[in-house]
Amino acid sequence: MSVHLIGGGATTAADAPLYAPFVAEAAQRAADQGRARPRIAVISLHPEADEKAAALGDLLAEAGADPGIEAHLTAGRPGTPIGVEAIADVDGVAVGGGVVEDVRAGLEPIFSELRRLVAGGVPYLGVSAGAMIAAEGSFGGGSRIGGVVVSPEDPDEPGEELEIEAGIGLVDVAIEVHVAQRGMLSRLVAGVEAGIIAGGLGIDERTALIVGDGRLRVEGSGSVWRVLPTDGGVLVSTIGH
């Protein structure tokens, strides 16, 4: 099974095809387990978690075929970790966006269980912050490295240092999101050049990167940017459709 990472922005019914490969994998696992409909854990740690969990559940339902899905919604709260019961006996796990530090902290207690599920054939879907924390080393929200600005900042608020925290570990390079839309490629490049990450992938909005069986597949309207270190600098390229 695969890890599905969406760079954000895909929030309307027209974006449902981006979610369809994930739902199809969950449906296949459900069929293998003798279930007619896939049970999908839908987790949001967004400031508007109830609304966002329901919206993501609706998108997944729109993306699936008859007889539909069985969505198990969990709306988390800052400072309250998600319990393992949220992902018990499911055929897929979908994690939405929000403040990346809050999403990571809320799910950290179940990182090992998420790794176990994915290794056992349960597909994972991460959207925006949910995609970022899938990495072995997860970007935080900082915009500076060594005090130097490396990505857009609010002019009225001082930026913070970029920190790398332990992520779930489903992919072995850092993941950046909202890349073209928010000018985040520079942060990915700077992180690789500074050596705080060994390499990274940046995903545009309304774009999905599907990682499975050693292959990378891109769906949607944008690009996936690959940033790797080279002698004297970095190499930037795109992964095509």
Side-chain angles (χ1 to χ4, degrees):
M1 290 298 176
S2 305
V3 176
H4 303 250
L5 306 174
I6 296 178
T11 59
T12 70
D15 299 307
L18 280 181
Y19 298 85
F22 164 77
V23 176
E25 287 193 13
Q28 181 58 60
R29 186 182 187 280
D32 293 343
Q33 300 295 314
R35 288 194 277 261
R37 296 192 299 162
R39 297 173 180 168
I40 299 178
V42 180
I43 301 172
S44 176
L45 289 131
H46 191 277
E48 301 169 353
D50 291 289
E51 176 186 333
K52 297 297 184 180
L56 181 52
D58 289 345
L59 268 173
L60 296 174
E62 183 75 20
D66 290 336
I69 68 169
E70 184 181 327
H72 293 252
L73 306 184
T74 298
R77 299 288 179 266
T80 303
I82 298 297
V84 72
E85 67 276 1
I87 57 173
D89 193 25
V90 296
D91 303 300
V93 177
V95 178
V99 178
V100 65
E101 291 89 349
D102 291 343
V103 177
R104 196 200 72 82
L107 288 173
E108 185 176 17
I110 61 170
F111 278 0
S112 61
E113 180 63 10
L114 285 168
R115 288 192 295 270
R116 188 190 71 79
L117 287 175
V118 174
V122 173
Y124 175 91
L125 169 74
V127 182
S128 189
M132 294 173 72
I133 67 162
E136 197 168 279
S138 172
F139 272 142
S143 57
R144 300 186 178 207
I145 296 177
V148 178
V149 176
V150 297
S151 61
E153 292 184 336
D154 184 334
D156 297 324
E157 296 184 13
E160 297 181 349
E161 282 289 306
L162 174 62
E163 295 185 355
I164 307 297
E165 302 283 354
I168 303 171
L170 305 179
V171 294
D172 59 5
V173 294
I175 300 295
E176 185 65 277
V177 294
H178 305 285
V179 174
Q181 291 72 23
R182 299 186 185 177
M184 302 308 290
L185 181 59
S186 58
R187 187 170 78 156
L188 192 55
V189 169
V192 173
E193 186 176 38
I196 62 175
I197 55 172
L201 295 168
I203 310 170
D204 288 346
E205 291 184 1
R206 288 189 161 84
T207 305
L209 172 67
I210 303 171
V211 183
D213 299 325
R215 297 178 295 109
L216 300 178
R217 180 172 133 213
V218 178
E219 302 285 349
S221 59
S223 298
V224 172
W225 306 81
R226 177 160 41 198
V227 181
L228 298 172
T230 62
D231 292 339
V234 299
L235 174 67
V236 179
S237 60
T238 56
I239 301 172
H241 293 274

